[in-house]
Amino acid sequence: MYTCRKSYNKTKKAHKECKCAPSNNYKTMPWYPKKLRYHNCSSTPLNYCKNMPWYPKKLKYFNLPKSKCQCSPSAMNGMDTVFKPTQEGYPPEGASIFSFIGIMAYYFPGVSTTKPDGTDRFQSDVSRARQIWNFPIIPTRAVQLTQQQADVINLQQSDLTCSSDFLDRRARQLMASRRVSDSTRFYKDLITVWYVPFNTFERSSTVGCAWSNVGGPGSEYQHIIVTENANNSSNLSLLAHELGHIFFGTVPGQDNSDPTGPDITTLIQNENGTTTTITPSHSLAEDNVMYPTPRNNTVVERSQREKMASSRLVPIDILIPS
């Protein structure tokens, strides 16, 4: 049960509900602001909510359990905007409860941090992904690695392969270790994007790849690597595509297959005589964001949104608009 602190009682403004608010229905109480009803405070790690500008003063008078409303100072960088109306609309139409997915980024030295038009690269990539998936995907912090830190990792283009486990290369192990060591500052369920100073992956035209559930049970991290050739007007949907792989790969009890993809790996004959390989983790539709080469695609089907909503990275259930 929640009880009022003496300091609050002295104001003589206590609501009747203040005297007895069971922990399982505090979000339904008249004094609890609507904007907080759409946020799952328990999904973030440090006791910081009460210092945020959006946190109502009257709630500060309640003895809230430490496990109920905790927000990391680093993870909350700019996140207070989640609770303000925007042209993209929060919460999504038809959503019963509002939630969000957070992303952070690391820049290796020499990597472009802006788009060709001068806008912030990380912010622009996430904004595009948010529009495509119609879900609050929030950029938190971008970390610029120093040359010394990059030298320790010693990432080479030969380390960039999509066909192997993230931890099977020494450099990627060190990247993963860096992310784990930063988990005290950056919530571990933040998806991690690595911007690397190579045009493509090794011996291929691949410009991005995603790895879900990296690490042992209970300590899984999500990693995405993006190269320099992705930073142009022809690959605007790349991050949204890679996030799709993360979403599909973090649904409990399911594989990482795309609901709009083939049951088995399929070869598609193109008009120019080339072939496109489509695995079950990709969409068969050429205009879909999960097509093997997403380019600037924006289409996401309802079945894909439903699977995304089942990801364990989405802290609470949402209803998908019809």
Side-chain angles (χ1 to χ4, degrees), residues 2 11 14 16 32 62 96 98 135 137 143 145 177 183 199 208 210 226 230 235 241 250-251 274 281 288 293 299 302:
Y2 292 105
T11 66
K16 293 180 180 180
Y32 198 83
F62 286 84
S96 58
F98 178 53
F135 191 81
I137 303 172
V143 177
L145 296 176
S177 295
S183 62
N199 289 333
V226 178
N235 286 297
H241 173 96
T250 52
V251 176
T274 62
S281 63
N288 194 282
T293 51
V299 173
R302 180 183 176 87

Side-chain angles (χ1 to χ4, degrees), residues 44-195:
T44 44
L46 302 176
N47 190 10
Y48 194 70
C49 280
K50 292 184 179 181
N51 295 326
M52 297 305 297
W54 48 260
Y55 197 85
K57 291 182 179 179
K58 57 188 173 184
L59 282 192
K60 295 179 183 179
Y61 295 109
F62 286 84
N63 292 318
L64 297 177
K66 292 182 179 179
S67 62
K68 283 299 177 185
C69 198
Q70 303 172 347
C71 302
S72 163
S74 57
M76 291 301 295
N77 179 32
M79 201 173 288
D80 55 313
T81 57
V82 170
F83 307 100
K84 299 174 183 178
T86 71
Q87 61 181 2
E88 295 174 21
Y90 296 117
E93 182 181 355
S96 58
I97 303 176
F98 178 53
S99 183
F100 64 87
I101 293 175
I103 305 182
M104 66 168 297
Y106 289 96
Y107 287 115
F108 275 81
V111 167
S112 299
T113 59
T114 59
K115 290 289 188 182
D117 63 3
T119 58
D120 182 275
R121 183 178 181 182
F122 177 47
Q123 297 281 339
S124 296
D125 286 347
V126 176
S127 177
R128 174 84 172 187
R130 180 166 58 241
Q131 293 170 9
I132 290 173
W133 286 100
N134 190 29
F135 191 81
I137 303 172
I138 308 301
T140 58
R141 184 67 59 84
V143 177
Q144 179 70 60
L145 296 176
T146 65
Q147 188 60 56
Q148 182 179 11
Q149 292 169 336
D151 289 343
V152 171
I153 295 174
N154 193 29
L155 183 70
Q156 304 296 317
Q157 190 173 22
S158 58
D159 295 315
L160 303 183
T161 61
C162 282
S163 58
S164 59
D165 185 83
F166 190 79
L167 298 178
D168 77 344
R169 300 296 176 93
R170 175 62 177 169
R172 297 197 307 224
Q173 290 176 11
L174 292 172
M175 291 163 64
S177 295
R178 169 61 192 255
R179 179 63 182 89
V180 171
S181 68
D182 281 343
S183 62
T184 56
R185 295 190 299 147
F186 309 121
Y187 185 40
K188 81 175 186 66
D189 274 351
L190 295 177
I191 298 170
T192 308
V193 181
W194 299 88
Y195 290 101

